[in-house]
Amino acid sequence: MDWMKIGSALLLIMMLFVIYPRVKHELKHGRKGSQKEWLGAFALLGGVALFILLLMKSV
Amino acid sequence: MQRNSPVIERTRGQTLEVNKVLKNTYMLLSATFVFSAIMAAISTMMYMPPMTYLICIGLSFLIMWFVLPKTANSASGLVTVFAITGLMGFGIGPLLNHYLALSNGSQIVGTALGGTGVIFFALSGYALMSKKDFNFMGGFLLVGLMLAIVAMLANLFLEISGLSLAISAIVIMIMSGFILYDTSQMIHRPESSNYMIMTVALFLNIFNIFINLLHLLGFANDD
């Protein structure tokens, strides 16, 4: 096991520790979106996915 | 008429605050990008070893977690923001050298850079123009990010290239969602949005999209 892997693993574990309280808070107190709002958001993310596929085909 | 004026005053005040946060954030974001690009160019020309990436990213995260929250409300916060973004720029030097060494490396880097710009301007522009509140995505995006980190951790030991590509694609989707979320935070909750923290948040979204797009384009170039 090289140092890069150990360092990356430590950094990722630290990220989990930092993010976890925010995740808990957001899931408990965050606003719930309507079906229409989710559809709108996923349509935008779908557009991003299509754009990335297009970029991958172009190189 | 008299009864309506406080409402008008409050609305006008909030609009001014939104404009101030947006203006400051985008101005600082542009400045940090120029600085980060200079640092990346220096690191690329110096042919820094691969370990540089991990050290710089690790340091910038430590500054982001422990120094930025304490300095974000003072002028020294600007130094912190430039330290974070400068370190991240310097860190990607070895990565850029790796891709630039490929046969059409400059095309891959250029496409990743242009693609990242298009994604950012399209999503941030949409959130600004439509004025929709994407605050409801917060929990979903954070859970997605946590799962992506767990998958990254597992793949450090499993080393499955397909999983690594899937993670890159998912991280791009999550960071795109965060662009919508962060931009709408500045519009709908300007009082709780510090422009230095928002700059770092948007910088991180763009940085992650660029790195992961580079990975996907590098793979697409292989075949």
Side-chain angles (χ1 to χ4, degrees):
Chain A
M1 170 112 58
D2 61 282
W3 286 106
M4 279 287 275
K5 270 189 184 177
I6 296 170
S8 303
L10 281 174
L11 190 64
L12 289 170
I13 291 167
M14 274 182 78
M15 277 184 195
L16 282 178
F17 274 105
V18 172
I19 291 170
Y20 183 67
R22 241 189 103 186
V23 174
K24 241 171 77 174
H25 179 269
E26 197 66 41
L27 287 177
K28 210 171 177 182
H29 305 285
R31 182 170 79 85
K32 303 277 177 278
S34 67
Q35 197 182 5
K36 198 182 157 199
E37 283 179 315
W38 279 111
L39 275 173
F42 281 125
L44 286 169
L45 296 184
V48 173
L50 282 175
F51 177 64
I52 289 163
L53 277 176
L54 197 76
L55 288 181
M56 285 176 77
K57 293 260 179 212
S58 75
V59 291
Chain B
M1 280 303 280
Q2 198 65 27
R3 264 191 310 178
N4 285 342
S5 47
V7 177
I8 294 167
E9 282 304 312
R10 195 166 59 229
T11 311
R12 198 177 295 156
Q14 200 185 19
T15 310
L16 283 175
E17 201 174 352
V18 170
N19 289 341
K20 197 179 152 198
V21 172
L22 284 172
K23 195 180 127 198
N24 287 342
T25 304
Y26 286 115
M27 271 176 65
L28 186 57
L29 191 61
S30 324
T32 53
F33 266 106
V34 172
F35 182 61
S36 186
I38 293 169
M39 294 304 283
I42 293 171
S43 170
T44 307
M45 284 187 288
M46 286 169 73
Y47 288 96
M48 296 302 289
M51 195 71 164
T52 313
Y53 178 71
L54 185 63
I55 294 169
C56 289
I57 299 295
L59 276 174
S60 63
F61 271 95
L62 288 176
I63 298 171
M64 204 184 306
W65 292 332
F66 301 109
V67 184
L68 185 64
K70 289 175 187 159
T71 56
N73 288 314
S74 62
S76 58
L78 284 173
V79 179
T80 314
V81 172
F82 278 98
I84 293 168
T85 53
L87 272 169
M88 286 187 145
F90 195 78
I92 58 165
L95 203 68
L96 290 177
N97 275 333
H98 168 78
Y99 285 102
L100 287 171
L102 298 174
S103 58
N104 59 341
S106 50
Q107 191 203 345
I108 292 173
V109 174
T111 309
L113 208 58
T116 305
V118 169
I119 293 170
F120 173 71
F121 285 115
L123 294 177
S124 202
Y126 179 80
L128 282 172
M129 298 292 202
S130 69
K131 293 203 165 39
K132 280 185 184 167
D133 190 357
F134 289 96
N135 183 258
F136 65 91
M137 291 178 83
F140 168 78
L141 293 172
L142 284 167
V143 170
L145 185 61
M146 229 174 92
L147 292 176
I149 293 172
V150 172
M152 278 180 218
L153 202 53
N155 207 35
L156 273 179
F157 306 99
L158 299 171
E159 294 180 347
I160 305 168
S161 66
L163 180 60
S164 143
L165 289 172
I167 293 168
S168 282
I170 289 166
V171 170
I172 293 176
M173 292 296 116
I174 293 170
M175 292 302 145
S176 300
F178 270 120
I179 290 176
L180 292 170
Y181 176 84
D182 289 331
T183 309
S184 79
Q185 280 288 103
M186 289 191 286
I187 302 167
H188 297 280
R189 277 157 283 277
E191 66 286 346
S192 60
S193 310
N194 177 291
Y195 78 97
M196 291 186 203
I197 292 176
M198 292 318 295
T199 301
V200 173
L202 286 172
F203 184 92
L204 259 185
N205 300 338
I206 298 167
F207 183 85
N208 278 311
I209 290 176
F210 175 67
I211 298 292
N212 288 287
L213 195 51
L214 209 51
H215 184 206
L216 290 180
L217 295 179
F219 171 79
N221 181 57
D222 272 353
D223 54 20

